[in-house]
Amino acid sequence: MAQPPPQAAAATKRRRVLTAPPVWRELLLVVLFYTGYTLTRIILVQDGTGPAFAHADQILGVERYLGLDVELHLNQTLLSVPWLARSANIFYATMHFIVTLGVVLWLYRYRPEHYRWLRTSIMTATGVALIGFWLYPLAPPRFLHNEGFVDPVTALHSLGLYASDASGTLTNQYAAMPSMHAGWSLWCGIVLVKLATQKWAKALGALYPITTVYVILATANHYVLDAVAGFALVGGAAWLSWILYVRYPEPIIVARARIAHGIAHRVRRGAGEPAPGHGHGHAAAATGGGATRSTYNSGRTSQPA
């Protein structure tokens, strides 16, 4: 039996992409990925904080040169409205996880044809962000008291992500560049604006990244350039994932199918099995249906992984 034509291989690949994986596998993947992400952030904490504060000076210098240093003004304005500052602290500590997880679950349940490429994009961006945390540790603005920044969590004795000593020691507080608060919020916004059908959901999708950026700047947890880097990273990862999953180039599918077919053919020859279409009669009986099995294997290996 001849291997499936290139069009069949491409169609098989696209059918697999348009279906969501088993839920148990995705739950396990999310748990393992987030655990690894959290532990890696902690491991990447370097001895000494000198480089992190030196990088903070660099970031502020660039922003002042470009006229982007709005963090101090936002921080002081937020502190003048205590109830709003407390709300921002809670938003920063919780919505990053609640909204992202909610969008992932909604995507899996109601838009399974888009799940794989969007899930891959946010995981890829988050994995790449770890490199930034390692290569460029950065002290957040709330540590720069000499610049006038105030941490609203400690100033107002409010609930917040780093409200307790335990929470502060169990994470890397110098993992600010790029901002995954900003990056994940952009990902959620993309999903809702692109895939939601209700206008109010699309509006929330557009407002959520804007609100998140305001919160991370006003609470002195990030710089403007952190947010820009987070947006660029997630946007680039989403574009690349869309190309590879949704607009998967057919020549690559065909090449993968041919390579897999060639490998299977060499394995059969090395094992002494007859090639498909040969070895009828006594030879087929002697191999116990080997030709049939090899034909089946050929069909399987011609499918893209």
Side-chain angles (χ1 to χ4, degrees), residues 176-210:
M177 171 65 81
S179 169
M180 283 295 95
H181 270 77
W184 286 14
S185 70
L186 177 64
W187 183 86
C188 293
I190 290 173
V191 172
L192 293 176
V193 170
K194 178 179 175 62
L195 302 178
T197 55
Q198 297 88 351
K199 291 184 178 180
W200 64 265
K202 290 181 178 292
L204 287 179
L207 289 174
Y208 179 59
I210 298 173

PDB file of all heavy atoms in Angstrom, residues 176-210:
ATOM      1  N   ALA A 176      11.606  40.431  37.634  1.00  0.00           N
ATOM      2  CA  ALA A 176      10.689  41.472  37.161  1.00  0.00           C
ATOM      3  C   ALA A 176      10.750  41.695  35.657  1.00  0.00           C
ATOM      4  O   ALA A 176       9.816  42.258  35.074  1.00  0.00           O
ATOM      5  CB  ALA A 176      10.992  42.796  37.873  1.00  0.00           C
ATOM      6  N   MET A 177      11.824  41.267  35.020  1.00  0.00           N
ATOM      7  CA  MET A 177      12.013  41.526  33.590  1.00  0.00           C
ATOM      8  C   MET A 177      12.121  40.205  32.833  1.00  0.00           C
ATOM      9  O   MET A 177      13.062  39.447  33.052  1.00  0.00           O
ATOM     10  CB  MET A 177      13.277  42.359  33.369  1.00  0.00           C
ATOM     11  CG  MET A 177      13.682  42.510  31.926  1.00  0.00           C
ATOM     12  SD  MET A 177      12.540  43.418  30.890  1.00  0.00           S
ATOM     13  CE  MET A 177      12.961  45.119  31.290  1.00  0.00           C
ATOM     14  N   PRO A 178      11.143  39.904  31.959  1.00  0.00           N
ATOM     15  CA  PRO A 178       9.952  40.672  31.604  1.00  0.00           C
ATOM     16  C   PRO A 178       8.820  40.445  32.599  1.00  0.00           C
ATOM     17  O   PRO A 178       8.870  39.502  33.394  1.00  0.00           O
ATOM     18  CB  PRO A 178       9.577  40.085  30.232  1.00  0.00           C
ATOM     19  CG  PRO A 178      10.013  38.650  30.329  1.00  0.00           C
ATOM     20  CD  PRO A 178      11.289  38.677  31.143  1.00  0.00           C
ATOM     21  N   SER A 179       7.805  41.286  32.544  1.00  0.00           N
ATOM     22  CA  SER A 179       6.660  41.152  33.446  1.00  0.00           C
ATOM     23  C   SER A 179       5.679  40.132  32.892  1.00  0.00           C
ATOM     24  O   SER A 179       5.036  40.367  31.863  1.00  0.00           O
ATOM     25  CB  SER A 179       5.946  42.495  33.623  1.00  0.00           C
ATOM     26  OG  SER A 179       4.704  42.306  34.276  1.00  0.00           O
ATOM     27  N   MET A 180       5.549  38.996  33.589  1.00  0.00           N
ATOM     28  CA  MET A 180       4.565  38.012  33.168  1.00  0.00           C
ATOM     29  C   MET A 180       3.166  38.372  33.635  1.00  0.00           C
ATOM     30  O   MET A 180       2.191  37.827  33.137  1.00  0.00           O
ATOM     31  CB  MET A 180       4.975  36.623  33.651  1.00  0.00           C
ATOM     32  CG  MET A 180       6.087  35.997  32.836  1.00  0.00           C
ATOM     33  SD  MET A 180       5.603  35.645  31.113  1.00  0.00           S
ATOM     34  CE  MET A 180       6.180  37.089  30.238  1.00  0.00           C
ATOM     35  N   HIS A 181       3.049  39.288  34.615  1.00  0.00           N
ATOM     36  CA  HIS A 181       1.727  39.840  34.905  1.00  0.00           C
ATOM     37  C   HIS A 181       1.190  40.529  33.641  1.00  0.00           C
ATOM     38  O   HIS A 181       0.031  40.320  33.252  1.00  0.00           O
ATOM     39  CB  HIS A 181       1.797  40.849  36.055  1.00  0.00           C
ATOM     40  CG  HIS A 181       1.591  40.247  37.407  1.00  0.00           C
ATOM     41  ND1 HIS A 181       2.574  39.538  38.058  1.00  0.00           N
ATOM     42  CD2 HIS A 181       0.502  40.245  38.236  1.00  0.00           C
ATOM     43  CE1 HIS A 181       2.105  39.126  39.231  1.00  0.00           C
ATOM     44  NE2 HIS A 181       0.863  39.541  39.365  1.00  0.00           N
ATOM     45  N   ALA A 182       2.019  41.336  33.024  1.00  0.00           N
ATOM     46  CA  ALA A 182       1.604  42.011  31.794  1.00  0.00           C
ATOM     47  C   ALA A 182       1.429  41.015  30.660  1.00  0.00           C
ATOM     48  O   ALA A 182       0.454  41.072  29.908  1.00  0.00           O
ATOM     49  CB  ALA A 182       2.634  43.077  31.418  1.00  0.00           C
ATOM     50  N   GLY A 183       2.384  40.092  30.525  1.00  0.00           N
ATOM     51  CA  GLY A 183       2.328  39.136  29.428  1.00  0.00           C
ATOM     52  C   GLY A 183       1.109  38.240  29.491  1.00  0.00           C
ATOM     53  O   GLY A 183       0.403  38.045  28.487  1.00  0.00           O
ATOM     54  N   TRP A 184       0.837  37.673  30.659  1.00  0.00           N
ATOM     55  CA  TRP A 184      -0.328  36.794  30.794  1.00  0.00           C
ATOM     56  C   TRP A 184      -1.629  37.567  30.581  1.00  0.00           C
ATOM     57  O   TRP A 184      -2.596  37.029  30.032  1.00  0.00           O
ATOM     58  CB  TRP A 184      -0.343  36.129  32.168  1.00  0.00           C
ATOM     59  CG  TRP A 184       0.675  35.040  32.332  1.00  0.00           C
ATOM     60  CD1 TRP A 184       1.725  34.768  31.534  1.00  0.00           C
ATOM     61  CD2 TRP A 184       0.720  34.069  33.397  1.00  0.00           C
ATOM     62  NE1 TRP A 184       2.456  33.703  32.020  1.00  0.00           N
ATOM     63  CE2 TRP A 184       1.859  33.262  33.154  1.00  0.00           C
ATOM     64  CE3 TRP A 184      -0.060  33.838  34.521  1.00  0.00           C
ATOM     65  CZ2 TRP A 184       2.216  32.215  34.010  1.00  0.00           C
ATOM     66  CZ3 TRP A 184       0.295  32.797  35.375  1.00  0.00           C
ATOM     67  CH2 TRP A 184       1.416  31.993  35.115  1.00  0.00           C
ATOM     68  N   SER A 185      -1.671  38.824  31.034  1.00  0.00           N
ATOM     69  CA  SER A 185      -2.898  39.611  30.836  1.00  0.00           C
ATOM     70  C   SER A 185      -3.124  39.878  29.352  1.00  0.00           C
ATOM     71  O   SER A 185      -4.274  39.867  28.887  1.00  0.00           O
ATOM     72  CB  SER A 185      -2.816  40.930  31.607  1.00  0.00           C
ATOM     73  OG  SER A 185      -1.871  41.821  31.030  1.00  0.00           O
ATOM     74  N   LEU A 186      -2.057  40.109  28.598  1.00  0.00           N
ATOM     75  CA  LEU A 186      -2.207  40.292  27.159  1.00  0.00           C
ATOM     76  C   LEU A 186      -2.730  39.014  26.513  1.00  0.00           C
ATOM     77  O   LEU A 186      -3.598  39.053  25.629  1.00  0.00           O
ATOM     78  CB  LEU A 186      -0.872  40.692  26.531  1.00  0.00           C
ATOM     79  CG  LEU A 186      -0.891  40.841  25.001  1.00  0.00           C
ATOM     80  CD1 LEU A 186      -1.812  41.976  24.587  1.00  0.00           C
ATOM     81  CD2 LEU A 186       0.521  41.053  24.454  1.00  0.00           C
ATOM     82  N   TRP A 187      -2.211  37.860  26.941  1.00  0.00           N
ATOM     83  CA  TRP A 187      -2.672  36.577  26.408  1.00  0.00           C
ATOM     84  C   TRP A 187      -4.170  36.406  26.661  1.00  0.00           C
ATOM     85  O   TRP A 187      -4.917  36.022  25.749  1.00  0.00           O
ATOM     86  CB  TRP A 187      -1.891  35.438  27.050  1.00  0.00           C
ATOM     87  CG  TRP A 187      -2.238  34.082  26.528  1.00  0.00           C
ATOM     88  CD1 TRP A 187      -1.714  33.459  25.434  1.00  0.00           C
ATOM     89  CD2 TRP A 187      -3.199  33.170  27.095  1.00  0.00           C
ATOM     90  NE1 TRP A 187      -2.282  32.221  25.282  1.00  0.00           N
ATOM     91  CE2 TRP A 187      -3.195  32.020  26.272  1.00  0.00           C
ATOM     92  CE3 TRP A 187      -4.044  33.228  28.199  1.00  0.00           C
ATOM     93  CZ2 TRP A 187      -4.022  30.914  26.542  1.00  0.00           C
ATOM     94  CZ3 TRP A 187      -4.870  32.147  28.457  1.00  0.00           C
ATOM     95  CH2 TRP A 187      -4.853  31.003  27.641  1.00  0.00           C
ATOM     96  N   CYS A 188      -4.619  36.698  27.879  1.00  0.00           N
ATOM     97  CA  CYS A 188      -6.051  36.605  28.199  1.00  0.00           C
ATOM     98  C   CYS A 188      -6.853  37.564  27.334  1.00  0.00           C
ATOM     99  O   CYS A 188      -7.947  37.226  26.850  1.00  0.00           O
ATOM    100  CB  CYS A 188      -6.287  36.915  29.676  1.00  0.00           C
ATOM    101  SG  CYS A 188      -5.606  35.687  30.820  1.00  0.00           S
ATOM    102  N   GLY A 189      -6.330  38.766  27.139  1.00  0.00           N
ATOM    103  CA  GLY A 189      -7.015  39.738  26.302  1.00  0.00           C
ATOM    104  C   GLY A 189      -7.144  39.268  24.863  1.00  0.00           C
ATOM    105  O   GLY A 189      -8.197  39.421  24.234  1.00  0.00           O
ATOM    106  N   ILE A 190      -6.074  38.684  24.335  1.00  0.00           N
ATOM    107  CA  ILE A 190      -6.104  38.165  22.965  1.00  0.00           C
ATOM    108  C   ILE A 190      -7.185  37.098  22.824  1.00  0.00           C
ATOM    109  O   ILE A 190      -7.966  37.092  21.869  1.00  0.00           O
ATOM    110  CB  ILE A 190      -4.731  37.587  22.580  1.00  0.00           C
ATOM    111  CG1 ILE A 190      -3.705  38.713  22.421  1.00  0.00           C
ATOM    112  CG2 ILE A 190      -4.828  36.788  21.272  1.00  0.00           C
ATOM    113  CD1 ILE A 190      -2.286  38.219  22.205  1.00  0.00           C
ATOM    114  N   VAL A 191      -7.221  36.173  23.784  1.00  0.00           N
ATOM    115  CA  VAL A 191      -8.197  35.086  23.728  1.00  0.00           C
ATOM    116  C   VAL A 191      -9.620  35.627  23.736  1.00  0.00           C
ATOM    117  O   VAL A 191     -10.461  35.234  22.914  1.00  0.00           O
ATOM    118  CB  VAL A 191      -7.987  34.107  24.901  1.00  0.00           C
ATOM    119  CG1 VAL A 191      -9.120  33.084  24.947  1.00  0.00           C
ATOM    120  CG2 VAL A 191      -6.646  33.400  24.776  1.00  0.00           C
ATOM    121  N   LEU A 192      -9.911  36.542  24.660  1.00  0.00           N
ATOM    122  CA  LEU A 192     -11.280  37.040  24.797  1.00  0.00           C
ATOM    123  C   LEU A 192     -11.683  37.916  23.620  1.00  0.00           C
ATOM    124  O   LEU A 192     -12.794  37.795  23.097  1.00  0.00           O
ATOM    125  CB  LEU A 192     -11.426  37.801  26.108  1.00  0.00           C
ATOM    126  CG  LEU A 192     -11.308  36.947  27.376  1.00  0.00           C
ATOM    127  CD1 LEU A 192     -11.380  37.829  28.620  1.00  0.00           C
ATOM    128  CD2 LEU A 192     -12.391  35.878  27.424  1.00  0.00           C
ATOM    129  N   VAL A 193     -10.812  38.800  23.196  1.00  0.00           N
ATOM    130  CA  VAL A 193     -11.156  39.688  22.076  1.00  0.00           C
ATOM    131  C   VAL A 193     -11.323  38.893  20.785  1.00  0.00           C
ATOM    132  O   VAL A 193     -12.228  39.160  19.978  1.00  0.00           O
ATOM    133  CB  VAL A 193     -10.080  40.776  21.908  1.00  0.00           C
ATOM    134  CG1 VAL A 193     -10.287  41.557  20.611  1.00  0.00           C
ATOM    135  CG2 VAL A 193     -10.112  41.733  23.093  1.00  0.00           C
ATOM    136  N   LYS A 194     -10.490  37.886  20.602  1.00  0.00           N
ATOM    137  CA  LYS A 194     -10.521  37.116  19.362  1.00  0.00           C
ATOM    138  C   LYS A 194     -11.648  36.087  19.336  1.00  0.00           C
ATOM    139  O   LYS A 194     -12.279  35.878  18.292  1.00  0.00           O
ATOM    140  CB  LYS A 194      -9.177  36.407  19.167  1.00  0.00           C
ATOM    141  CG  LYS A 194      -9.111  35.527  17.914  1.00  0.00           C
ATOM    142  CD  LYS A 194      -7.759  34.887  17.775  1.00  0.00           C
ATOM    143  CE  LYS A 194      -7.713  33.906  16.608  1.00  0.00           C
ATOM    144  NZ  LYS A 194      -7.964  34.584  15.307  1.00  0.00           N
ATOM    145  N   LEU A 195     -11.922  35.456  20.471  1.00  0.00           N
ATOM    146  CA  LEU A 195     -12.784  34.279  20.456  1.00  0.00           C
ATOM    147  C   LEU A 195     -14.122  34.445  21.165  1.00  0.00           C
ATOM    148  O   LEU A 195     -15.039  33.658  20.940  1.00  0.00           O
ATOM    149  CB  LEU A 195     -12.039  33.083  21.070  1.00  0.00           C
ATOM    150  CG  LEU A 195     -10.729  32.695  20.391  1.00  0.00           C
ATOM    151  CD1 LEU A 195     -10.084  31.533  21.118  1.00  0.00           C
ATOM    152  CD2 LEU A 195     -10.959  32.348  18.925  1.00  0.00           C
ATOM    153  N   ALA A 196     -14.243  35.410  22.073  1.00  0.00           N
ATOM    154  CA  ALA A 196     -15.531  35.594  22.761  1.00  0.00           C
ATOM    155  C   ALA A 196     -16.564  36.150  21.786  1.00  0.00           C
ATOM    156  O   ALA A 196     -16.231  36.898  20.859  1.00  0.00           O
ATOM    157  CB  ALA A 196     -15.367  36.530  23.954  1.00  0.00           C
ATOM    158  N   THR A 197     -17.821  35.782  21.997  1.00  0.00           N
ATOM    159  CA  THR A 197     -18.896  36.255  21.120  1.00  0.00           C
ATOM    160  C   THR A 197     -19.657  37.430  21.717  1.00  0.00           C
ATOM    161  O   THR A 197     -20.194  38.250  20.985  1.00  0.00           O
ATOM    162  CB  THR A 197     -19.879  35.104  20.825  1.00  0.00           C
ATOM    163  OG1 THR A 197     -20.357  34.563  22.060  1.00  0.00           O
ATOM    164  CG2 THR A 197     -19.187  34.002  20.032  1.00  0.00           C
ATOM    165  N   GLN A 198     -19.724  37.512  23.054  1.00  0.00           N
ATOM    166  CA  GLN A 198     -20.439  38.615  23.692  1.00  0.00           C
ATOM    167  C   GLN A 198     -19.581  39.880  23.685  1.00  0.00           C
ATOM    168  O   GLN A 198     -18.375  39.828  23.923  1.00  0.00           O
ATOM    169  CB  GLN A 198     -20.807  38.259  25.135  1.00  0.00           C
ATOM    170  CG  GLN A 198     -21.766  37.084  25.243  1.00  0.00           C
ATOM    171  CD  GLN A 198     -21.045  35.754  25.291  1.00  0.00           C
ATOM    172  OE1 GLN A 198     -19.832  35.693  25.073  1.00  0.00           O
ATOM    173  NE2 GLN A 198     -21.783  34.695  25.596  1.00  0.00           N
ATOM    174  N   LYS A 199     -20.232  41.005  23.446  1.00  0.00           N
ATOM    175  CA  LYS A 199     -19.502  42.272  23.393  1.00  0.00           C
ATOM    176  C   LYS A 199     -18.896  42.627  24.746  1.00  0.00           C
ATOM    177  O   LYS A 199     -17.797  43.185  24.808  1.00  0.00           O
ATOM    178  CB  LYS A 199     -20.433  43.387  22.924  1.00  0.00           C
ATOM    179  CG  LYS A 199     -20.836  43.262  21.458  1.00  0.00           C
ATOM    180  CD  LYS A 199     -21.688  44.444  21.021  1.00  0.00           C
ATOM    181  CE  LYS A 199     -22.056  44.341  19.543  1.00  0.00           C
ATOM    182  NZ  LYS A 199     -22.893  45.479  19.095  1.00  0.00           N
ATOM    183  N   TRP A 200     -19.617  42.306  25.837  1.00  0.00           N
ATOM    184  CA  TRP A 200     -19.085  42.645  27.149  1.00  0.00           C
ATOM    185  C   TRP A 200     -17.821  41.850  27.452  1.00  0.00           C
ATOM    186  O   TRP A 200     -16.891  42.357  28.090  1.00  0.00           O
ATOM    187  CB  TRP A 200     -20.130  42.408  28.231  1.00  0.00           C
ATOM    188  CG  TRP A 200     -20.563  40.973  28.395  1.00  0.00           C
ATOM    189  CD1 TRP A 200     -21.644  40.376  27.820  1.00  0.00           C
ATOM    190  CD2 TRP A 200     -19.918  39.976  29.193  1.00  0.00           C
ATOM    191  NE1 TRP A 200     -21.718  39.048  28.203  1.00  0.00           N
ATOM    192  CE2 TRP A 200     -20.685  38.788  29.050  1.00  0.00           C
ATOM    193  CE3 TRP A 200     -18.797  39.973  30.007  1.00  0.00           C
ATOM    194  CZ2 TRP A 200     -20.340  37.595  29.692  1.00  0.00           C
ATOM    195  CZ3 TRP A 200     -18.451  38.782  30.652  1.00  0.00           C
ATOM    196  CH2 TRP A 200     -19.206  37.620  30.498  1.00  0.00           C
ATOM    197  N   ALA A 201     -17.760  40.601  26.977  1.00  0.00           N
ATOM    198  CA  ALA A 201     -16.568  39.780  27.195  1.00  0.00           C
ATOM    199  C   ALA A 201     -15.393  40.323  26.392  1.00  0.00           C
ATOM    200  O   ALA A 201     -14.248  40.353  26.873  1.00  0.00           O
ATOM    201  CB  ALA A 201     -16.854  38.333  26.817  1.00  0.00           C
ATOM    202  N   LYS A 202     -15.655  40.755  25.178  1.00  0.00           N
ATOM    203  CA  LYS A 202     -14.598  41.365  24.371  1.00  0.00           C
ATOM    204  C   LYS A 202     -14.096  42.653  25.024  1.00  0.00           C
ATOM    205  O   LYS A 202     -12.887  42.937  25.012  1.00  0.00           O
ATOM    206  CB  LYS A 202     -15.115  41.655  22.962  1.00  0.00           C
ATOM    207  CG  LYS A 202     -15.362  40.411  22.104  1.00  0.00           C
ATOM    208  CD  LYS A 202     -15.846  40.804  20.727  1.00  0.00           C
ATOM    209  CE  LYS A 202     -16.060  39.600  19.836  1.00  0.00           C
ATOM    210  NZ  LYS A 202     -14.791  38.920  19.484  1.00  0.00           N
ATOM    211  N   ALA A 203     -15.029  43.432  25.573  1.00  0.00           N
ATOM    212  CA  ALA A 203     -14.639  44.677  26.240  1.00  0.00           C
ATOM    213  C   ALA A 203     -13.770  44.388  27.455  1.00  0.00           C
ATOM    214  O   ALA A 203     -12.756  45.070  27.685  1.00  0.00           O
ATOM    215  CB  ALA A 203     -15.887  45.459  26.642  1.00  0.00           C
ATOM    216  N   LEU A 204     -14.146  43.385  28.244  1.00  0.00           N
ATOM    217  CA  LEU A 204     -13.320  43.000  29.390  1.00  0.00           C
ATOM    218  C   LEU A 204     -11.946  42.519  28.931  1.00  0.00           C
ATOM    219  O   LEU A 204     -10.935  42.802  29.580  1.00  0.00           O
ATOM    220  CB  LEU A 204     -14.020  41.906  30.198  1.00  0.00           C
ATOM    221  CG  LEU A 204     -15.223  42.336  31.032  1.00  0.00           C
ATOM    222  CD1 LEU A 204     -15.823  41.129  31.747  1.00  0.00           C
ATOM    223  CD2 LEU A 204     -14.834  43.412  32.042  1.00  0.00           C
ATOM    224  N   GLY A 205     -11.922  41.788  27.821  1.00  0.00           N
ATOM    225  CA  GLY A 205     -10.639  41.327  27.287  1.00  0.00           C
ATOM    226  C   GLY A 205      -9.730  42.475  26.897  1.00  0.00           C
ATOM    227  O   GLY A 205      -8.512  42.403  27.060  1.00  0.00           O
ATOM    228  N   ALA A 206     -10.315  43.549  26.381  1.00  0.00           N
ATOM    229  CA  ALA A 206      -9.513  44.716  26.000  1.00  0.00           C
ATOM    230  C   ALA A 206      -9.074  45.513  27.217  1.00  0.00           C
ATOM    231  O   ALA A 206      -7.964  46.072  27.251  1.00  0.00           O
ATOM    232  CB  ALA A 206     -10.314  45.605  25.048  1.00  0.00           C
ATOM    233  N   LEU A 207      -9.931  45.573  28.249  1.00  0.00           N
ATOM    234  CA  LEU A 207      -9.624  46.376  29.433  1.00  0.00           C
ATOM    235  C   LEU A 207      -8.673  45.672  30.390  1.00  0.00           C
ATOM    236  O   LEU A 207      -7.926  46.344  31.122  1.00  0.00           O
ATOM    237  CB  LEU A 207     -10.921  46.727  30.173  1.00  0.00           C
ATOM    238  CG  LEU A 207     -11.843  47.735  29.496  1.00  0.00           C
ATOM    239  CD1 LEU A 207     -13.150  47.856  30.272  1.00  0.00           C
ATOM    240  CD2 LEU A 207     -11.152  49.088  29.379  1.00  0.00           C
ATOM    241  N   TYR A 208      -8.702  44.353  30.408  1.00  0.00           N
ATOM    242  CA  TYR A 208      -7.912  43.628  31.406  1.00  0.00           C
ATOM    243  C   TYR A 208      -6.410  43.905  31.302  1.00  0.00           C
ATOM    244  O   TYR A 208      -5.767  44.187  32.326  1.00  0.00           O
ATOM    245  CB  TYR A 208      -8.208  42.135  31.307  1.00  0.00           C
ATOM    246  CG  TYR A 208      -7.414  41.304  32.293  1.00  0.00           C
ATOM    247  CD1 TYR A 208      -7.510  41.518  33.661  1.00  0.00           C
ATOM    248  CD2 TYR A 208      -6.557  40.302  31.839  1.00  0.00           C
ATOM    249  CE1 TYR A 208      -6.778  40.765  34.565  1.00  0.00           C
ATOM    250  CE2 TYR A 208      -5.825  39.535  32.735  1.00  0.00           C
ATOM    251  CZ  TYR A 208      -5.936  39.770  34.088  1.00  0.00           C
ATOM    252  OH  TYR A 208      -5.198  39.025  34.978  1.00  0.00           O
ATOM    253  N   PRO A 209      -5.782  43.838  30.121  1.00  0.00           N
ATOM    254  CA  PRO A 209      -4.343  44.165  30.061  1.00  0.00           C
ATOM    255  C   PRO A 209      -4.040  45.605  30.467  1.00  0.00           C
ATOM    256  O   PRO A 209      -3.018  45.863  31.110  1.00  0.00           O
ATOM    257  CB  PRO A 209      -3.981  43.918  28.584  1.00  0.00           C
ATOM    258  CG  PRO A 209      -5.060  43.044  28.057  1.00  0.00           C
ATOM    259  CD  PRO A 209      -6.297  43.408  28.814  1.00  0.00           C
ATOM    260  N   ILE A 210      -4.927  46.532  30.110  1.00  0.00           N
ATOM    261  CA  ILE A 210      -4.709  47.934  30.476  1.00  0.00           C
ATOM    262  C   ILE A 210      -4.751  48.096  31.995  1.00  0.00           C
ATOM    263  O   ILE A 210      -3.895  48.763  32.598  1.00  0.00           O
ATOM    264  CB  ILE A 210      -5.767  48.827  29.807  1.00  0.00           C
ATOM    265  CG1 ILE A 210      -5.653  48.736  28.285  1.00  0.00           C
ATOM    266  CG2 ILE A 210      -5.630  50.273  30.269  1.00  0.00           C
ATOM    267  CD1 ILE A 210      -6.773  49.451  27.545  1.00  0.00           C
TER     268      ILE A 210
END
